[in-house]
Amino acid sequence: MRNCWIIILVSLLAAGASSEIMAQRKKTASKVIQKYAQYVTDKAQGKEKKAQKSASDPATVTRDADTLDVDASYNPLRAEYEQFRQKSITEYEDFRRKANLQYAEFVKKAWKEYGAKPPVPKPKEEERPPVVINEKERAKPIKDTPLPIKNTITPTAPVPQPKPIAPIKEQPMLAEKWQTFMVYGTEMKVRYDESQKFTLTSCTNEAISTAWEKLSGREYDNMIRDCLTIRMTNQLSDWAYLNMLHNMAEACLGSGNEATLLMSFIYCQSGYQMRLATVGGTLRMLYSTKHSIYDKSYYWIDGNDYYVFDGDEKSLQVCNVNFPQEKAMSLYINKTQKFSINKSDTRILTSARYPDMEIEISVNKNLVDFYNNYPSSYTDGNFMTRWAIYANTPMEQSVKEALYPTLISKINGLTKKESVDRLLNWVQTAFVYGYDDKIWGGDRAFFAEETLFYPYCDCEDRSILFSRLVRDLLGLKVVLVYYPGHLASAVCFDTDVKGDYIMLDGEKFTICDATYIGAPLGRTMPGMNNEKATVILLK
């Protein structure tokens, strides 16, 4: 407990600070902190200790030390510390303002024409049709058979979401006015007044620079804070956040260049890497991502991929200016996003072998709408990583609350092997198989909720859903197994289970194929080439 006082005090000055500011004030900070920390430690020793941290705030990483229970008789030292703390916070704010003013200056001249790179098409493969096992084959004894699969893929781990380069302080307002808007059926709001409205008279460098300077004023700080708060409280992914900013900007300024600039500004201030661009008097925003997005042209700028938001122009005038500490968007979805619930019609899904595995389920149509707008992508230059992106996305809370208790009741009291066998047969037989090219006109993978929503699904959709259920309900490790034209899965049991298996770092993963209809776990679908197969690791 003695050290916690020092940790809190150090965090007041270290968190969120720019390296430039901290370098300038390092000696002063060390001296003031040491003096004040030693005093607080001495006073706290042997006494009741009271400290209260401010609630976590996405727009500022400073903490409030005013609630520390210290003796008022030492006011001069506390005053010195408080004076230093307030000056540091002001410097952080000034650092962001200076960065914006410098950015606005560069906007006047740093433009260059770029041509788009052609889209990366989704891989076209001859999809393997499902196989229905006959009872004679099913009755055969299952033997342990190691599979000679050598290739494995470990997708790059997700990174924390970007954050502002410096704390964005709440600005007092005489009267608060709010602008409401909708995002995937969910009402949201930010503070906005008509007095904040601006006009972008043209798309010249000077006009954009002038507008950026206006946006950099403190009158927009509360709007930025509100946007970041929405991102945090609704647990929005980067893609959902960008679309939220788009809807918000249009609600405030209508559909036009002003809305594009407002969206771009707040996206930039939130810590994301973006570039402004123009074409024929129209302003566009390019967003950077380490993911390669299918079927969409991109711009290769200084070693980074940029995509046009809500557009697909083949040539643009781009303002290639860096903003301090900018980070590329991630297309991972690491948390359950919170959209308002709009229930779909109920489906009844029944296992053929286990009729008591009859499940009634509906999903959130607002989430389905989001997934319809979600760009399919891959990472690390390997198209197989895209399935991990879908499989690692957590199930929405409302669906879990409706689906999981029923499924748990159906496997209650069973061994994990028996439970997996039931879940596998449910996924194999409760859903109708359909080919993507006939239904969607091309390959399309489903998130788990989409498989529960749409009337047809294929091998990859079933494997993604099955892997999600086994990990969530039974806590077992699961991997995906890619064969050319087919996707299956394999489960690591905590007891020995016989069947076709893969050894990974000393652990045994037993094949479970959701498209080998009626087959028990441990059976590989006929016609699969294990020599060419690849294991895709999941978290």
Side-chain angles (χ1 to χ4, degrees):
M1 287 297 293
R2 291 182 60 183
N3 291 334
C4 76
W5 296 99
I6 299 174
I7 292 171
I8 291 173
L9 292 169
V10 172
S11 71
L12 289 168
L13 300 166
S18 70
S19 58
E20 292 90 343
I21 293 171
M22 291 307 293
Q24 293 171 3
R25 302 193 61 81
K26 185 175 180 181
K27 291 183 180 179
T28 305
S30 177
K31 189 174 181 180
V32 174
I33 291 173
Q34 286 177 13
K35 288 167 63 180
Y36 193 59
Q38 183 60 53
Y39 165 69
V40 174
T41 302
D42 291 344
K43 294 296 294 182
Q45 189 175 18
K47 287 186 173 185
E48 181 182 0
K49 306 173 184 66
K50 296 182 181 179
Q52 178 182 349
K53 290 196 300 180
S54 296
S56 179
D57 185 331
T60 175
V61 289
T62 59
R63 302 235 183 243
D64 187 358
D66 293 338
T67 54
L68 296 176
D69 184 26
V70 295
D71 196 326
S73 64
Y74 214 87
N75 279 342
L77 183 55
R78 182 182 178 92
E80 180 185 2
Y81 170 77
E82 285 300 316
Q83 183 180 22
F84 173 76
R85 185 175 75 93
Q86 292 299 329
K87 187 175 182 181
S88 296
I89 293 173
T90 301
E91 286 181 329
Y92 302 157
E93 293 175 331
D94 289 344
F95 173 69
R96 187 173 72 91
R97 174 149 180 80
K98 289 176 182 177
N100 276 306
L101 293 176
Q102 186 179 50
Y103 183 89
E105 280 300 308
F106 279 121
V107 166
K108 294 178 181 178
K109 52 190 175 182
W111 294 77
K112 177 183 175 181
E113 185 170 357
Y114 287 84
K117 301 292 184 182
V120 176
K122 290 181 183 177
K124 291 185 178 179
E125 298 182 287
E126 185 177 345
E127 192 169 359
R128 300 294 185 92
V131 176
V132 180
I133 194 170
N134 59 50
E135 285 303 314
K136 182 178 179 181
E137 183 65 25
R138 178 182 172 82
K140 288 182 179 179
I142 298 177
K143 298 179 181 179
D144 260 0
T145 306
L147 303 180
I149 299 176
K150 305 292 184 183
N151 302 319
T152 58
I153 292 175
T154 305
T156 300
V159 296
Q161 288 185 302
K163 60 184 179 181
I165 61 170
I168 301 175
K169 190 176 180 180
E170 179 81 13
Q171 300 299 330
M173 300 177 67
L174 295 176
E176 289 189 358
K177 294 185 179 180
W178 295 84
Q179 176 66 59
T180 60
F181 56 98
M182 300 297 292
V183 181
Y184 302 112
T186 306
E187 184 176 277
M188 300 176 180
K189 63 179 182 177
V190 296
R191 281 169 286 184
Y192 174 75
D193 188 89
E194 283 293 319
S195 63
Q196 295 172 253
K197 195 170 186 176
F198 67 95
T199 300
L200 192 58
T201 55
S202 68
C203 269
T204 64
N205 304 0
E206 288 285 346
I208 295 172
S209 175
T210 300
W212 191 276
E213 283 193 37
K214 177 176 174 57
L215 288 167
S216 303
R218 291 179 176 174
E219 61 183 315
Y220 290 92
D221 284 0
N222 288 349
M223 176 184 281
I224 300 171
R225 288 174 60 88
D226 292 340
C227 290
L228 289 165
T229 298
I230 291 171
R231 187 183 73 171
M232 180 182 71
T233 56
N234 291 74
Q235 299 184 169
L236 300 182
S237 63
D238 289 349
W239 180 251
Y241 183 62
L242 176 55
N243 281 271
M244 183 273 285
L245 294 182
H246 170 72
N247 291 9
M248 179 276 297
E250 289 201 338
C252 293
L253 298 170
S255 179
N257 291 335
E258 290 85 359
T260 299
L261 187 61
L262 178 60
M263 171 187 71
S264 304
F265 175 76
I266 297 183
Y267 188 69
C268 168
Q269 301 305 293
S270 301
Y272 292 93
Q273 187 174 44
M274 70 89 205
R275 295 292 181 266
L276 296 173
T278 61
V279 56
T282 300
L283 186 66
R284 293 294 194 199
M285 191 198 85
L286 307 179
Y287 58 89
S288 173
T289 177
K290 299 299 182 184
H291 294 243
S292 297
I293 299 175
Y294 286 113
D295 299 329
K296 189 171 176 62
S297 301
Y298 66 98
Y299 289 80
W300 178 252
I301 303 175
D302 293 344
N304 297 300
D305 287 349
Y306 288 86
Y307 295 85
V308 184
F309 180 80
D310 204 24
D312 199 23
E313 286 82 6
K314 307 305 178 187
S315 178
L316 289 168
Q317 287 287 331
V318 179
C319 179
N320 186 20
V321 180
N322 296 326
F323 199 82
Q325 302 175 29
E326 60 186 12
K327 291 184 179 180
M329 165 199 287
S330 171
L331 287 171
Y332 289 112
I333 304 173
N334 302 320
K335 297 179 180 178
T336 299
Q337 299 179 108
K338 297 180 180 179
F339 300 122
S340 296
I341 304 301
N342 178 20
K343 288 187 176 182
S344 66
D345 293 337
T346 300
R347 296 180 70 189
I348 299 177
L349 301 166
T350 307
S351 164
R353 180 163 292 275
Y354 307 104
D356 63 313
M357 291 280 289
E358 181 177 275
I359 312 297
E360 293 187 11
I361 185 63
S362 66
V363 302
N364 186 1
K365 290 178 68 176
N366 291 332
L367 181 66
V368 173
D369 289 341
F370 167 74
Y371 287 150
N372 279 330
N373 188 36
Y374 176 86
S376 180
S377 69
Y378 62 96
T379 62
D380 310 321
N382 193 313
F383 76 94
M384 284 178 264
T385 57
R386 72 190 181 105
W387 292 309
I389 295 172
Y390 288 86
N392 284 333
T393 297
M395 187 84 78
E396 189 192 47
Q397 189 63 31
S398 67
V399 179
K400 289 171 66 173
E401 291 172 356
L403 177 64
Y404 285 10
T406 304
L407 285 175
I408 289 172
S409 71
K410 304 298 183 183
I411 60 177
N412 188 38
L414 302 178
T415 66
K416 289 188 176 179
K417 176 181 179 298
E418 293 169 333
S419 298
V420 170
D421 191 61
R422 281 186 162 236
L423 292 173
L424 180 62
N425 190 266
W426 183 69
V427 177
Q428 287 173 341
T429 60
F431 299 87
V432 179
Y433 195 92
Y435 294 94
D436 282 347
D437 59 342
K438 294 180 180 179
I439 299 169
W440 301 102
D443 182 65
R444 172 172 173 168
F446 283 166
F447 291 93
E449 294 91 340
E450 291 183 289
T451 301
L452 297 171
F453 176 76
Y454 290 112
Y456 303 100
C457 58
D458 64 6
C459 62
E460 59 190 8
D461 310 324
R462 294 169 181 229
S463 295
I464 289 166
L465 173 61
F466 174 75
S467 72
R468 183 77 272 158
L469 296 178
V470 172
R471 284 176 290 167
D472 287 354
L473 298 177
L474 299 171
L476 299 175
K477 294 180 182 179
V478 184
V479 297
L480 299 177
V481 185
Y482 170 75
Y483 301 94
H486 182 61
L487 193 68
S489 56
V491 177
C492 181
F493 290 91
D494 49 15
T495 57
D496 187 51
V497 174
K498 295 186 180 301
D500 298 341
Y501 68 90
I502 309 161
M503 291 301 298
L504 298 171
D505 294 329
E507 294 183 307
K508 179 181 179 182
F509 286 77
T510 304
I511 290 292
C512 297
D513 196 325
T515 315
Y516 192 8
I517 310 300
L521 57 91
R523 292 288 185 87
T524 302
M525 195 166 81
M528 298 297 102
N529 188 335
N530 289 296
E531 296 285 350
K532 294 184 178 181
T534 299
V535 171
I536 304 166
L537 302 183
L538 301 178
K539 67 179 182 181

